[in-house]
Amino acid sequence: FYYLFGFLALVLVILVVTCAEISITLTYFQLTAEDYNWWWRSFFASASSALYVFLYSIIYFNSKLKIDKFVSVLLYFGYMSIISIIFFLLTGSVGMIAAFYFVRAIYASVKID
C-alpha cells in the first residue's frame, strides 16, 4: 500500500521535471533565434502531452474495452476529455512557470551599462 503512493509520487516528480526541462529547452532555442514570443509556446510545448493521453485513451477504448452502449461511450470519452484537459492545464502550467523563471534568471544576469 505504501509502495504505491511512493511510486506515484516519484512518477509525478519525473513528470514535472520532464515538462520543465522540455519547456526550458524549447524556450532557450526560441530565444536564441531572437523570437521573444515565448509565453504560449512554452505552455503548449509541455501541455502537448495531454494529446498523447487522449489519443491513448482512444486506442485503449478500441483495443481493450468492449463497450456497446452509447451512454457508456459518452461517459468514457467525457471523463477522458476532462482528464485530458486537466492534464493539459497542469503540464502546461508547469512548463510555462519553469520557462518564466528560466527567462527571468538569464535576463537578470545581463548587465546593461
Side-chain angles (χ1 to χ4, degrees), residues 22-35 102:
I22 287 172
S23 186
I24 287 171
T25 303
L26 292 177
T27 302
Y28 176 74
F29 288 148
Q30 186 173 356
L31 289 174
T32 55
E34 297 180 1
D35 186 6
F102 170 72

Side-chain angles (χ1 to χ4, degrees), residues 2-3 12 16 21 23 26 29-30 34 36 38 46 56 60 64 66 71-72 75 79 85 90 93 97 100 110:
Y2 294 112
Y3 294 120
L12 179 66
V16 167
E21 286 177 347
S23 186
L26 292 177
F29 288 148
Q30 186 173 356
E34 297 180 1
Y36 59 89
W38 60 270
S46 58
Y56 187 77
Y60 185 78
K64 301 285 184 189
K66 305 291 186 225
V71 175
S72 299
L75 276 173
Y79 280 125
I85 289 170
L90 174 85
S93 298
I97 290 169
F100 174 75
V110 174

